[in-house]
């Protein structure tokens, strides 16, 4: 044996000098005869399908007395799965991982479960420390000697388990020693870890309880209070703030979660099996599409927009790094000079024509109006005849004055009523006002719609893009210079971020409460502040103070190193930001000439269509004004 690689409660793992591909697990204390028999049985049951997904025992280690003290197993590669599904640790441990990587890992986790179940065994002790993920998204299962191993003659049971990963039917039991595990029990844990992967480390049963009292994860599991379910409100539950909802994934996948966590799931073989997950997750990965704004964002095509952009904007937490371009990828075919020549080559629509002045439009009075007006003048003259005749009749027959006066009044009134002059005045004054109103409306439309303002604004925007593109190197230099001045802050943040709450020993805060904190986006010492903690269900002043004390203790142990270089992760972050901005500016400049041409053509077409209305309304107003003036005798 060589150096110790790791130590657990049951045993330690050592490297093997003679074989770099295997390691040795040696128990701290003597194990029972039943456990020794279990190890021997597992070695005999070893096969390729199990070795592909597990650290299955390959050989037995005996002491001088012939007792089993340990075994050899394949050397483990990769990192704990929680370092992948936790957003903050993922950026450090799996910086190039995208959502596609998470989906593929979930499918490979299901394949690992399937290999165990197909061999007649059950994992039983499902927890975040027993699953390792490589940079290829492959999965390995650890602690195989704790599995429930089934043979034709004997069943070696799994005697351990962490409640917050166990199904409802196995909650609140005093010991797992006498429990016979089934694949359906494992299928609950599989669904739970797939949920953790797809939903950024959020435990499916850690949410906001809308009832009175506390709702720890174990109790929520027992009562089937799936916080993200479509029927969560009926169970008095809500997802934590700053999380994606079930609508972000296809129904075929969300339905598997609903089935896995429903009240009917405890029935034998009722939960989705690994094969169900493999099929749907493989399909999900194939249908992921890229975000238009951020290189590292991939998401299901059931979303109208990118859910990661939306979530990052709401929470301020970066979920995925942008993909880092290789040197070859950075050699772009983009030629700024050529693209800018195309942009400046677009013909401007020019300033809009000046509106005509309706007063200057030459028109004659309407001929029909002139005819009616002349007729009204004749009638007006004729209206003087009846009084003259009446006066002559009065001189001849004075005793009939009343009758004469009445007849004269009736005839004169009839002539006036048929005159129509006052009616013409009224009609054309109304027409003039209406024409004036139409002219004002079309004038406003012309100023608004025929303007070249949209073209000018787009051209100005493209000029700004050009300036920004030319200043990318300077911007990068400024960002790197700023990093140098912030080394103390960055070192402290990096130091705090390395201290995960999940790995800490804090009085009264066990695995369930830690999972609740993680479901509310609190993973490391860096995430801890009193206001944030107090918003988490079940965390009052006492637990908040304990977490703050733990963070303060870590801060006091921090030592600034003035000679330490800027972390490569921070430099890479700047590179990603500059690269993302570069691609965005290139896209805007590439499409600039076509968009300018489109705007210019739209303006010209609109002007041609609107100018017809302008001339028509100007002439109508001029005609109406001319008619009114004619009637007034001006």
């Amino acid at each position: 044996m060589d150096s110790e690689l790791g130590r657990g409660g049951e045993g330690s793992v050592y490297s093997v000098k003679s074989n770099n591909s295997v390691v040795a697990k040696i128990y701290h204390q003597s194990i029972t005869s039943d456990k020794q028999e279990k190890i021997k049985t597992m070695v005999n049951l070893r096969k390729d399908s199990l070795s592909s997904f597990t650290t299955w025992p390959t050989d037995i280690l005996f002491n001088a007395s012939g007792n089993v003290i340990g075994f050899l197993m394949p050397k483990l590669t990769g990192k704990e799965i929680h370092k992948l599904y936790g957003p903050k640790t993922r950026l450090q441990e799996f910086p190039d991982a995208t959502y596609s990587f998470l989906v593929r890992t979930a499918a490979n986790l299901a394949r690992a479960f399937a290999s165990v179940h197909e061999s007649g065994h059950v994992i039983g002790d499902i927890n975040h420390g027993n699953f390792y993920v490589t940079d290829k998204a492959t999965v390995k299962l650890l602690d195989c000697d704790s599995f429930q191993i089934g043979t034709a003659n004997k069943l070696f049971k799994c005697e351990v388990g962490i409640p917050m990963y166990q199904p409802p039917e196995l909650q609140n039991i005093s010991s797992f020693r006498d429990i016979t595990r089934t694949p359906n029990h494992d299928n609950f844990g599989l669904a739970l870890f797939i949920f953790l992967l797809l939903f950024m480390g959020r435990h499916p049963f850690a949410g906001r309880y809308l009832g009175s009292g506390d709702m720890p994860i174990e109790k929520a599991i027992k009562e089937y209070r799936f916080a993200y379910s479509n029927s969560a409100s009926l169970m008095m539950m809500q997802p934590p703030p700053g999380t994606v909802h079930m609508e972000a994934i296809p129904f075929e996948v969300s339905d598997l979660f609903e089935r896995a966590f429903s009240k009917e799931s405890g029935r034998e073989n009722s939960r989705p099996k690994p094969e169900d997950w493999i099929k749907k997750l493989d399909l999900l990965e194939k249908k992921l599409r890229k975000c238009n704004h951020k290189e590292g964002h991939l998401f299901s095509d059931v979303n109208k927009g990118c859910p990661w952009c939306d979530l990052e904007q709401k929470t301020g937490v970066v979920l995925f790094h942008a993909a880092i371009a290789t040197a070859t990828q950075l050699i772009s075919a983009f030629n700024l000079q050529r693209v800018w020549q195309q942009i400046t080559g677009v013909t401007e629509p020019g300033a809009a024509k000046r509106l005509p002045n309706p007063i200057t439009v030459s028109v004659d009075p309407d001929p029909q109006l002139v005819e009616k007006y002349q007729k009204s003048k004749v009638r007006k003259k004729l209206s003087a005849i009846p009084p003259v005749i009446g006066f002559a009749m009065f001189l001849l027959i004075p005793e009939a004055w009343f009758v004469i006066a009445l007849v004269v009044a009736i005839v004169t009134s009839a002539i006036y009523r048929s005159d129509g002059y006052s009616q013409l005045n009224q009609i054309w004054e109304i027409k003039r006002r209406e024409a004036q109103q139409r002219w004002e409306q079309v004038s406003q439309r012309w100023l608004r719609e025929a303007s070249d303002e949209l073209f000018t604004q787009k051209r100005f925007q493209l000029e700004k893009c050009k300036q920004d593109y030319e200043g990318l190197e300077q911007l990068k230099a400024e960002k790197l210079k700023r990093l140098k001045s912030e080394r103390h802050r960055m070192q402290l943040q990096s130091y705090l971020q390395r201290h995960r709450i999940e790995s800490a020993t804090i009085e009264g805060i066990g695995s369930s409460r830690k999972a609740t904190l993680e479901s509310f986006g609190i993973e490391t010492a860096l995430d801890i502040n009193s206001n944030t903690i107090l918003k988490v269900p079940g965390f009052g002043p006492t637990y908040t103070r304990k977490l703050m004390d733990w963070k303060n203790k870590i801060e006091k142990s921090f030592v600034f190193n003035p000679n330490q270089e800027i972390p490569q992760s921070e430099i890479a972050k700047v590179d990603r930001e500059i690269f993302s901005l570069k691609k965005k500016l290139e896209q805007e400049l590439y499409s600039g000439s076509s968009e300018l041409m489109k705007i210019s053509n739209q303006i010209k077409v609109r002007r041609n269509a609107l100018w017809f209305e302008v001339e028509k309304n100007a002439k109508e107003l001029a005609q109406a004004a001319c008619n009114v003036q004619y009637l007034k005798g001006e």
Side-chain angles (χ1 to χ4, degrees):
M1 300 303 163
D2 202 351
S3 59
E4 183 176 333
L5 301 176
R7 173 176 287 266
E10 192 178 38
S12 296
V13 176
Y14 298 87
S15 60
V16 178
K17 289 183 179 180
S18 59
N19 189 345
N20 290 331
S21 65
V22 298
V23 294
K25 176 175 180 178
I26 299 178
Y27 295 106
H28 297 315
Q29 299 176 348
S30 299
I31 58 177
T32 64
S33 57
D34 190 63
K35 185 66 175 266
Q36 293 186 50
E37 184 184 355
K38 181 179 184 180
I39 301 301
K40 294 175 183 178
T41 301
M42 291 184 71
V43 172
N44 292 331
L45 292 174
R46 182 174 65 90
K47 54 184 180 179
D48 291 343
S49 60
L50 287 171
S51 299
S52 298
F53 294 102
T54 70
T55 55
W56 198 266
T58 58
D59 285 296
I60 306 169
L61 298 175
F62 298 94
N63 62 13
S65 303
N67 294 319
V68 177
I69 61 170
F71 55 86
L72 297 180
M73 60 183 178
K75 187 176 182 179
L76 182 66
T77 57
K79 299 172 183 177
E80 299 98 321
I81 197 170
H82 63 77
K83 292 182 179 179
L84 174 61
Y85 61 63
K88 298 180 180 68
T89 51
R90 177 171 61 248
L91 298 180
Q92 302 294 324
E93 304 290 344
F94 294 88
D96 298 328
T98 63
Y99 195 65
S100 176
F101 188 92
L102 296 177
V103 175
R104 195 178 318 135
T105 300
N108 285 335
L109 181 64
R111 288 184 173 90
F113 272 64
S115 71
V116 174
H117 293 175
E118 288 167 1
S119 301
H121 313 307
V122 178
I123 298 168
D125 183 22
I126 293 173
N127 68 79
H128 62 269
N130 285 351
F131 306 144
Y132 268 57
V133 183
T134 70
D135 58 2
K136 303 295 184 183
T138 57
V139 175
K140 284 278 188 178
L141 307 184
L142 281 65
D143 288 343
C144 300
D145 53 328
S146 70
F147 288 5
Q148 177 177 284
I149 305 300
T151 70
N153 302 317
K154 189 169 183 178
L155 185 68
F156 298 94
K157 294 183 178 180
C158 173
E159 299 179 354
V160 290
I162 296 178
M164 70 174 185
Y165 301 128
Q166 296 297 320
E169 59 268 26
L170 296 184
Q171 294 294 325
N172 293 346
I173 63 173
S174 58
S175 173
F176 290 99
R177 189 180 302 273
D178 299 322
I179 300 296
T180 298
R181 307 295 184 92
T182 69
N184 199 48
H185 293 152
D186 273 3
N187 292 340
F188 176 87
L190 173 61
L192 194 153
F193 271 88
I194 291 175
F195 191 93
L196 288 168
L197 285 164
L198 301 190
F199 286 79
M200 308 294 107
R202 311 291 184 160
H203 194 290
F205 290 87
R208 288 193 178 280
Y209 178 52
L210 304 180
S212 59
D214 197 7
M215 182 55 65
I217 289 176
E218 293 86 350
K219 184 179 179 183
I221 292 174
K222 185 180 180 181
E223 297 177 359
Y224 302 93
R225 297 184 187 272
F226 176 29
Y228 295 76
S229 171
N230 292 326
S231 57
S233 59
L234 299 177
M235 302 300 292
M236 303 291 286
M237 295 293 286
Q238 283 182 349
T243 58
V244 290
H245 291 191
M246 294 277 274
E247 291 79 8
I249 58 176
F251 171 78
E252 293 81 4
V253 179
S254 64
D255 184 57
L256 293 181
F257 285 123
E258 294 281 8
R259 287 170 50 197
F261 302 138
S262 70
K263 289 185 178 180
E264 294 75 26
S265 64
R267 298 200 302 266
E268 186 176 357
N269 298 322
S270 59
R271 295 186 178 105
K273 297 177 175 60
E275 295 79 9
D276 299 326
W277 288 106
I278 294 168
K279 180 180 178 181
K280 300 302 182 184
L281 291 172
D282 284 347
L283 185 61
L284 170 59
E285 185 182 7
K286 290 177 182 177
K287 290 189 174 183
L288 293 179
R289 61 189 179 100
K290 292 182 179 180
C291 173
N292 294 328
H293 305 290
K294 293 197 175 181
E295 293 280 334
H297 288 187
L298 298 171
F299 54 92
S300 168
D301 58 3
V302 300
N303 296 272
K304 293 182 179 178
C306 177
W308 313 128
C309 284
D310 184 54
L311 200 56
E312 287 184 350
Q313 185 176 8
K314 288 180 180 177
T315 64
V317 176
V318 177
L319 299 174
F320 300 98
H321 281 317
I324 301 177
T326 64
T328 303
Q329 290 171 324
L330 286 173
I331 300 174
S332 173
F334 183 80
N335 185 310
L336 179 61
Q337 183 178 1
R338 183 171 65 249
V339 170
W340 191 248
Q341 286 177 347
Q342 293 172 347
I343 290 172
T344 55
V346 177
T347 304
E348 298 183 13
K353 291 182 185 179
R354 293 185 62 182
L355 288 167
N357 187 346
I359 297 176
T360 63
V361 177
S362 178
V363 292
D364 294 323
D366 189 325
Q368 292 182 353
L369 173 68
V370 172
E371 183 181 351
K372 289 181 180 179
Y373 179 66
Q374 292 301 326
K375 289 180 179 180
S376 70
K377 288 176 69 177
V378 171
R379 290 192 184 96
K380 189 175 290 186
K381 290 177 181 179
L382 290 175
S383 65
I385 296 175
V388 173
I389 295 174
F391 181 73
M393 293 294 293
F394 173 73
L395 293 176
L396 295 173
I397 314 172
E399 62 275 12
W401 68 268
F402 179 77
V403 175
I404 294 171
L406 181 60
V407 171
V408 167
I410 291 172
V411 172
T412 302
S413 176
I415 294 174
Y416 264 109
R417 280 199 301 273
S418 63
D419 175 13
Y421 175 76
S422 59
Q423 188 178 6
L424 282 175
N425 263 317
Q426 185 179 8
I427 290 172
W428 278 102
E429 184 59 39
I430 292 172
K431 287 184 176 182
R432 187 195 65 78
R433 287 198 298 268
E434 290 175 346
Q436 180 68 39
Q437 186 177 16
R438 287 194 300 273
W439 171 249
E440 290 173 357
Q441 289 173 349
V442 79
S443 298
Q444 291 298 321
R445 286 180 61 197
W446 177 260
L447 294 175
R448 183 174 63 252
E449 299 176 24
S451 169
D452 62 349
E453 185 178 355
L454 284 178
F455 186 92
T456 304
Q457 287 177 350
K458 183 62 182 179
R459 179 68 180 271
F460 178 79
Q461 178 192 342
L462 291 170
E463 288 174 352
K464 179 68 168 57
C465 288
K466 179 175 178 287
Q467 293 173 4
D468 290 345
Y469 192 84
E470 293 171 332
L472 284 176
E473 287 301 320
Q474 182 181 349
L475 177 62
K476 179 179 178 180
E478 290 173 356
K479 285 179 174 288
L480 292 175
K481 183 179 179 181
R482 196 177 303 127
L483 287 180
K484 291 181 180 179
S485 66
E486 297 178 347
R487 284 186 301 163
H488 185 282
R489 176 189 61 80
M490 288 190 298
Q491 284 188 28
L492 176 58
Q493 287 184 345
S494 178
Y495 184 73
L496 291 173
Q497 198 162 40
R498 288 199 299 270
H499 288 76
R500 288 182 52 80
I501 297 172
E502 186 275 328
S503 305
T505 301
I506 307 172
E507 183 186 356
I509 300 179
S511 57
S512 177
R513 291 192 180 278
K514 290 175 181 178
T516 299
L517 287 171
E518 188 166 355
S519 290
F520 279 76
I522 303 167
E523 299 179 46
T524 70
L526 182 62
D527 304 322
I528 293 175
N529 68 69
S530 56
N531 291 332
T532 304
I533 301 298
L534 287 170
K535 293 177 182 178
V536 180
F539 283 81
T542 300
Y543 288 120
T544 300
R545 186 181 67 254
K546 289 181 179 181
L547 287 164
M548 291 299 298
D549 289 345
W550 175 70
K551 178 183 180 180
N552 293 334
K553 183 179 178 181
I554 294 171
E555 283 185 334
K556 289 178 181 178
S557 65
F558 167 71
V559 178
F560 174 65
N561 182 1
N563 298 319
Q564 182 176 318
E565 295 293 331
I566 300 172
Q568 285 299 315
S569 60
E570 293 294 329
I571 296 175
K573 182 179 179 181
V574 171
D575 287 339
R576 291 185 182 96
E577 290 174 356
I578 296 298
F579 178 71
S580 178
L581 180 57
K582 178 176 182 289
K583 300 309 291 182
K584 180 181 178 183
L585 291 172
E586 285 182 357
Q587 289 172 0
E588 291 188 24
L589 290 167
Y590 256 134
S591 61
S593 59
S594 61
E595 290 185 15
L596 274 177
M597 191 175 298
K598 181 180 178 181
I599 292 172
S600 179
N601 290 336
Q602 287 176 340
I603 291 173
K604 292 175 183 177
V605 169
R606 194 68 192 135
R607 283 176 179 175
N608 290 335
L610 199 54
W611 188 252
F612 174 79
E613 292 186 50
V614 168
E615 290 184 320
K616 176 174 175 288
N617 288 336
K619 189 173 182 180
E620 286 178 353
L621 177 57
Q623 184 68 65
C626 178
N627 289 348
V628 169
Q629 290 174 354
Y630 174 77
L631 289 172
K632 291 181 179 179
E634 297 177 3

